Amino acid sequence: MKGLIPRIHAPFSVSPAFFLILLITWCLSTLPRIVNATSLTYSIAAHEKACFYAHVDKVGEKIAFYFAVQSGGAFDIDYIVTDPRGQLVISGDHERQGDFIFTANYVGEYSFCFANDMSTFAEKLVDFEITVENEPRAEFPQRPSAPEISTNMEDSLYRLSGSLNVVGRTQKYFRTRENRNLSTVKSTENRIFWFSLLESALIVGMAGLQVFVVRTFFNIRKGQWV
């Protein structure tokens, strides 16, 4: 069986392309461990207060908070963000959407609450995302012979990640605009339908009233002639 195994006498060398592929694969497998994100869509009933929580392991981590009201009422919601001590971080009333990034100064659970107290009966559909990300960059494996390749690839990956985040934000913005415009179109269609129905009922009522008046008039005139 040993005669079937080929012997390689040439020195083994890794091409730069193969090294870049391994680096990209390692980065993609490491990024989910660096970033902890939660993207949800929640329907908040009238007079309801819903809270969500994100845990921070160490001081200095970046927390990104994004929300947008997709449907319901005037597309507004009250929100409040508090730190583990219960102190206010950010808040707002009757806001349609928001996009915030702040630094966690304390370890523990940060609460993100939405309140629909201003609505009497309208439910609010809120699309939000909470992201907890470590500020320092990940340490990538480097080859002693070509450290500049690893540095350039690291910078390129972070620029690509930033561009993808911008694209994601833009897609969320257009999704929100589409949902709101669709809700406006549906509301306008309903108003046109009920207005047309009311207009038709008024026309039929006026026609019936005219017939009644004319018949009453001729009946009175006929009684007077007799």
Side-chain angles (χ1 to χ4, degrees):
M1 297 297 295
K2 294 183 179 180
L4 299 178
I5 301 177
R7 298 180 179 273
I8 301 176
H9 299 280
F12 180 74
S13 61
V14 180
S15 62
F18 181 75
F19 171 74
L20 294 179
I21 293 174
L22 290 178
L23 181 60
I24 294 175
T25 305
W26 185 89
C27 294
L28 293 178
S29 62
T30 307
L31 285 178
R33 303 175 185 175
I34 300 175
V35 179
N36 183 15
T38 301
S39 180
L40 296 172
T41 300
Y42 186 78
S43 180
I44 304 177
H47 303 290
E48 180 186 359
K49 182 178 181 181
C51 294
F52 304 88
Y53 302 90
H55 186 78
V56 175
D57 297 329
K58 58 183 178 180
V59 177
E61 292 184 341
K62 295 294 184 180
I63 301 178
F65 175 49
Y66 166 83
F67 74 92
V69 181
Q70 302 294 336
S71 64
F75 301 97
D76 57 347
I77 199 74
D78 299 339
Y79 69 93
I80 181 172
V81 180
T82 56
D83 59 14
R85 305 178 303 162
Q87 299 296 324
L88 177 66
V89 179
I90 53 176
S91 64
D93 297 331
H94 305 283
E95 297 290 341
R96 292 190 169 189
Q97 66 184 60
D99 192 359
F100 310 96
I101 298 177
F102 59 92
T103 303
N105 297 323
Y106 302 95
V107 177
E109 284 187 342
Y110 284 75
S111 64
F112 304 82
C113 297
F114 298 99
N116 193 17
D117 296 332
M118 79 288 292
S119 297
T120 305
F121 57 88
E123 294 184 354
K124 304 293 179 64
L125 185 65
V126 181
D127 182 15
F128 65 96
E129 181 178 353
I130 302 172
T131 305
V132 179
E133 182 177 0
N134 293 332
E135 186 174 6
R137 294 188 175 185
E139 297 180 359
F140 299 97
Q142 296 182 359
R143 291 182 62 193
S145 58
E148 67 280 357
I149 298 179
S150 176
T151 303
N152 294 334
M153 178 57 63
E154 178 183 351
D155 295 336
S156 300
L157 287 176
Y158 275 96
R159 286 195 300 267
L160 180 60
S161 177
S163 301
L164 290 177
N165 289 332
V166 173
V167 173
R169 298 289 185 185
T170 305
Q171 289 179 342
K172 291 179 181 178
Y173 170 76
F174 282 114
R175 178 190 174 189
T176 303
R177 290 291 302 272
E178 180 183 2
N179 291 335
R180 291 177 180 175
N181 293 336
L182 181 61
S183 178
T184 302
V185 170
K186 290 183 178 179
S187 177
T188 305
E189 289 179 351
N190 291 332
R191 292 180 181 179
I192 292 175
F193 171 77
W194 290 110
F195 179 80
S196 301
L197 188 62
L198 179 61
E199 185 179 13
S200 301
L202 290 176
I203 292 174
V204 173
M206 288 297 297
L209 181 61
Q210 290 178 356
V211 172
F212 175 77
V213 171
V214 171
R215 291 189 62 181
T216 304
F217 175 78
F218 280 103
N219 288 335
I220 294 175
R221 296 287 296 180
K222 183 178 180 181
Q224 292 178 355
W225 290 340
V226 174

